[in-house]
């Protein structure tokens, strides 16, 4: 696993550093690059793969079928982090970026940025997230939390970011995304609600992919829970 995690982590560290040091656009105005979900996501993906590298060195990669082995706190956090934020936020960034780009790129990535941001960096931020995460899900077992808990964490993050960009619009008169500026208030509300439902759908998609790839391991977890319940009774 380290053979996969370490190169991806290095790539993300290099990309994040390059973006911070060499790409000046975005730092201007209230909030700097922290206005943009893409930048938040780049930080999240970098942090996640850093945790996977650290976990490969001094944590654990225990599956439920491996009896008698202790699951480290780092592995538990890694799994929760991927389920609740890393996968749904990463997929959300890719889908919304390319979806809006296909309709009118000026609303999300004006042509002027082509001369400022290298194509490879654009794809690291908006494209390669998907294959990186799918490979991660395929080679590493992740224990998903109860759906209610996972969705609460994800929606808490989404609402935090929503409050943040609305505050920027109110305080600094800056609409982070041009598409929000051109929409009427009622259209803006509907657009935001649709995006929140997309977040929920992507969480469930990640859960479904995990179930498809690791169904046997999940059945072990389920059977153990049933046995524990019977013991309590």
């Amino acid at each position: 696993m380290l053979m996969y995690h370490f190169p991806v982590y290095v790539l993300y560290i290099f990309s994040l550093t390059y973006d911070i040091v060499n790409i000046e656009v975005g730092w201007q105005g209230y909030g700097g690059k922290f206005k943009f979900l893409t930048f938040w996501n780049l930080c999240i993906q970098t942090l996640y793969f850093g945790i996977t590298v650290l976990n490969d060195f001094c944590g654990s990669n225990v599956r439920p079928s491996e009896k008698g082995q202790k699951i480290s706190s780092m592995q538990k956090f890694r799994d929760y982090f991927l389920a609740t934020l890393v996968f749904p936020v990463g997929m959300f960034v890719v889908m919304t970026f390319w979806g809006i780009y296909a309709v009118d790129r000026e609303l999300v990535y004006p042509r002027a940025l082509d001369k400022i941001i290298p194509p490879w960096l654009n794809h690291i931020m908006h494209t390669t997230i998907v294959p990186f995460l799918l490979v991660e899900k395929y080679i590493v077992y992740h224990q998903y939390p109860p759906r209610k808990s996972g969705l609460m964490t994800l929606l808490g993050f989404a609402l935090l970011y929503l409050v943040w960009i609305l505050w920027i619009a109110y305080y600094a008169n800056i609409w982070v995304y041009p598409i929000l500026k051109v929409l009427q208030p009622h259209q803006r509300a509907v657009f935001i609600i649709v995006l929140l439902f997309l977040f929920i759908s992507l969480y469930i998609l990640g859960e479904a992919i995990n179930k498809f790839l690791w169904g046997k391991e999940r059945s072990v977890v389920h059977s153990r829970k049933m046995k524990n319940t019977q013991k309590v009774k």
Side-chain angles (χ1 to χ4, degrees):
M1 295 177 187
L2 184 62
M3 295 291 289
Y4 174 68
H5 290 147
F6 186 71
V8 175
Y9 177 57
V10 170
L11 178 61
Y12 272 126
I13 280 287
F14 175 78
S15 303
L16 181 59
T17 303
Y18 186 94
D19 184 42
I20 293 172
V21 174
N22 296 295
I23 308 299
E24 295 183 1
V25 64
W27 285 117
Q28 302 82 3
Y30 188 80
K33 290 195 176 185
F34 288 97
K35 295 190 294 291
F36 306 106
L37 186 60
T38 293
F39 187 75
W40 283 44
N41 180 60
L42 186 58
C43 294
I44 288 171
Q45 302 298 323
T46 304
L47 176 60
Y48 173 75
F49 279 97
I51 291 170
T52 62
V53 170
L54 190 61
N55 182 70
D56 289 340
F57 274 114
C58 57
S60 64
N61 285 294
V62 179
R63 300 177 185 177
S65 58
E66 298 171 344
K67 296 181 179 179
Q69 295 193 43
K70 186 178 180 181
I71 300 175
S72 68
S73 297
M74 191 176 301
Q75 180 182 343
K76 292 178 182 178
F77 177 75
R78 178 203 67 184
D79 292 350
Y80 191 86
F81 191 31
L82 176 113
T84 59
L85 291 180
V86 178
F87 182 85
V89 174
M91 296 293 288
F92 179 89
V93 166
V94 174
M95 291 181 66
T96 54
F97 175 84
W98 289 112
I100 297 173
Y101 187 101
V103 175
D104 184 354
R105 67 169 295 176
E106 295 299 316
L107 294 176
V108 68
Y109 196 79
R111 286 181 174 79
L113 292 179
D114 291 341
K115 298 178 181 179
I116 301 171
I117 301 176
W120 66 265
L121 181 58
N122 180 32
H123 285 296
I124 291 294
M125 294 189 296
H126 300 117
T127 307
T128 59
I129 297 163
V130 172
F132 285 164
L133 289 178
L134 291 179
V135 171
E136 170 70 5
K137 276 184 164 290
Y138 180 76
I139 67 174
V140 180
Y141 170 77
H142 298 89
Q143 180 62 47
Y144 262 64
R147 182 176 292 180
K148 183 178 179 180
S149 172
L151 285 175
M152 288 289 287
T153 300
L154 175 60
L155 290 178
F157 172 83
L159 291 174
L160 175 66
Y161 182 71
L162 175 60
V163 169
W164 172 232
I165 61 173
L166 291 177
W167 168 254
I168 293 172
Y170 168 77
Y171 181 80
N173 196 28
I174 299 172
W175 282 106
V176 176
Y177 303 102
I179 189 171
L180 293 174
K181 184 177 181 179
V182 301
L183 293 176
Q184 296 297 319
H186 68 281
Q187 295 173 325
R188 197 177 296 141
V190 171
F191 182 70
I192 290 171
I193 291 171
V194 169
L195 293 183
L196 287 175
F197 274 105
L198 178 58
F199 261 125
I200 295 172
S201 300
L202 290 173
Y203 178 90
I204 295 173
L205 174 64
E207 193 179 53
I209 292 173
N210 187 64
K211 184 177 181 179
F212 174 76
L213 294 174
W214 300 96
K216 292 182 179 180
E217 296 291 341
R218 285 172 58 87
S219 65
V220 172
V221 175
H222 179 70
S223 62
R224 286 180 182 173
K225 287 181 179 179
M226 293 294 291
K227 289 179 181 179
N228 291 334
T229 302
Q230 291 174 356
K231 288 180 180 179
V232 172
K233 292 180 179 180

